[in-house]
């Protein structure tokens, strides 16, 4: 079975500072990868997904960006954080078509922007 | 566009009670997949079940059971004899199985089981 690692686990950053969150996947190859944000402790919002190296699709326009430099590495970045970027960020991995196979989630990163 | 509605924001029960979490979905596709995930206080989402739109058989796994009814576009989740460890936020999700489709999540139902 696959394992998803995320770091850091928690992060406190000032407004206007840069951001880099990393996600790596073990136990699978060529996965589809996803970044979600969960604000206010509830609903999940899909931010980005990637079906391969260098292929990124954005679901919501924002000041965040994503990159996939390696098959099992997915990075979420920002040049200048906003207060509204605070939340719980989850990375997920799925094999094959997202609609067919379940997504497996990492432990998440809790980001607080002050 | 697809949509998932979990009308129950929060449910509180006492241990050993049975509880049903409701999920209603909307989709124009005839082929789709439904999922339930559990999010304990630690935050990580745990996959519970996947159903495809052609399989309306109810499923039971231990204390968990799922009732899928296409006629009412519902995929409800029942926990029998609830336990404190069942306390979590539960999410229902939908995916239209074509291309690189993605999951649409409901807003979740927080279940609090007290001893």
């Amino acid at each position: 079975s696959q394992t998803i690692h995320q770091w850091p686990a928690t992060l406190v950053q000032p407004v206007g500072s840069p951001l880099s969150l990393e996600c790596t996947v073990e136990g699978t190859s060529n996965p589809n990868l996803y970044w979600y944000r969960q604000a206010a402790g509830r609903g999940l919002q899909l931010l980005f997904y990637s079906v391969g190296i260098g292929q990124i699709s954005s679901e919501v326009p924002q000041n965040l960006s994503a990159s996939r430099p390696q098959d099992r590495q997915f990075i979420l970045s920002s040049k200048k954080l906003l207060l509204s970027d605070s939340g719980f960020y989850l990375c997920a991995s799925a094999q094959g078509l997202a609609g067919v196979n379940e997504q497996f989630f990492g432990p998440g990163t809790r980001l607080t922007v002050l | 566009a697809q949509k998932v509605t979990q009308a129950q924001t929060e449910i509180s029960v006492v241990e050993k009670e049975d509880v049903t979490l409701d999920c209603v979905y909307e989709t124009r596709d005839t082929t789709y997949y439904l999922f339930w995930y559990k999010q304990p206080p630690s935050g990580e989402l745990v996959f519970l079940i996947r159903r495809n739109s052609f399989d309306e058989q109810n499923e039971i796994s231990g204390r968990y059971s799922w009732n899928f009814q296409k006629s009412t576009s519902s995929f409800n989740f029942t926990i029998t004899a609830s336990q404190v460890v069942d306390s979590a936020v539960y999410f229902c999700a939908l995916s239209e199985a074509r291309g690189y489709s993605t999951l649409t999540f409901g807003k979740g139902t927080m279940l609090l089981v007290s001893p």
Side-chain angles (χ1 to χ4, degrees):
Chain A
S1 64
Q2 53 187 296
T3 303
I4 301 167
H5 302 281
Q6 287 187 246
W7 63 89
T10 59
L11 190 59
V12 180
Q13 292 284 93
V15 170
S17 64
L19 173 73
S20 181
L21 303 181
E22 190 163 345
C23 168
T24 58
V25 182
E26 291 181 359
T28 186
S29 59
N30 196 30
N32 293 329
L33 298 175
Y34 307 83
W35 278 112
Y36 290 89
R37 177 169 60 201
Q38 187 176 30
R42 197 53 74 87
L44 287 155
Q45 179 187 36
L46 178 64
L47 301 175
F48 300 95
Y49 69 93
S50 170
V51 299
I53 296 174
Q55 300 180 61
I56 308 295
S57 295
S58 174
E59 289 292 301
V60 181
Q62 59 225 317
N63 70 317
L64 299 172
S65 62
S67 62
R68 185 169 176 175
Q70 300 181 44
D71 181 46
R72 289 173 288 177
Q73 184 185 29
F74 204 23
I75 297 172
L76 183 68
S77 305
S78 174
K79 292 182 179 178
K80 288 186 177 181
L81 283 168
L82 306 173
L83 285 174
S84 57
D85 291 324
S86 292
F88 188 53
Y89 289 81
L90 287 158
C91 178
S93 170
Q95 199 60 42
L97 295 176
V100 176
N101 298 308
E102 62 272 23
Q103 293 183 15
F104 294 94
F105 287 80
T109 294
R110 199 165 299 279
L111 171 66
T112 303
V113 182
L114 302 175
Chain B
Q2 52 190 12
K3 183 180 178 182
V4 176
T5 302
Q6 295 180 256
Q8 303 150 308
T9 304
E10 186 172 321
I11 301 175
S12 293
V13 299
V14 177
E15 213 170 14
K16 297 185 182 177
E17 284 185 22
D18 298 346
V19 58
T20 295
L21 309 181
D22 298 332
C23 173
V24 174
Y25 62 92
E26 295 177 28
T27 177
R28 295 179 184 175
D29 282 16
T30 56
T31 302
Y32 52 88
Y33 288 79
L34 295 163
F35 302 80
W36 274 96
Y37 285 85
K38 174 182 179 180
Q39 186 178 38
S42 62
E44 182 173 345
L45 267 76
V46 178
F47 165 75
L48 296 177
I49 190 171
R50 177 191 67 208
R51 303 295 287 188
N52 71 59
S53 53
F54 298 108
D55 184 0
E56 285 194 74
Q57 273 194 331
N58 292 331
E59 184 159 339
I60 298 175
S61 176
R63 297 185 296 108
Y64 295 171
S65 61
W66 290 269
N67 183 355
F68 176 29
Q69 292 195 338
K70 289 179 74 171
S71 60
T72 56
S73 296
S74 65
F75 186 42
N76 297 337
F77 173 32
T78 297
I79 301 175
T80 304
S82 60
Q83 299 176 2
V84 173
V85 294
D86 294 327
S87 296
V89 179
Y90 291 86
F91 290 95
C92 180
L94 163 72
S95 181
E96 296 163 343
R98 48 183 163 80
Y100 297 109
S101 57
T102 56
L103 282 176
T104 296
F105 284 86
K107 294 188 182 300
T109 297
M110 179 178 286
L111 174 64
L112 299 173
V113 182
S114 55

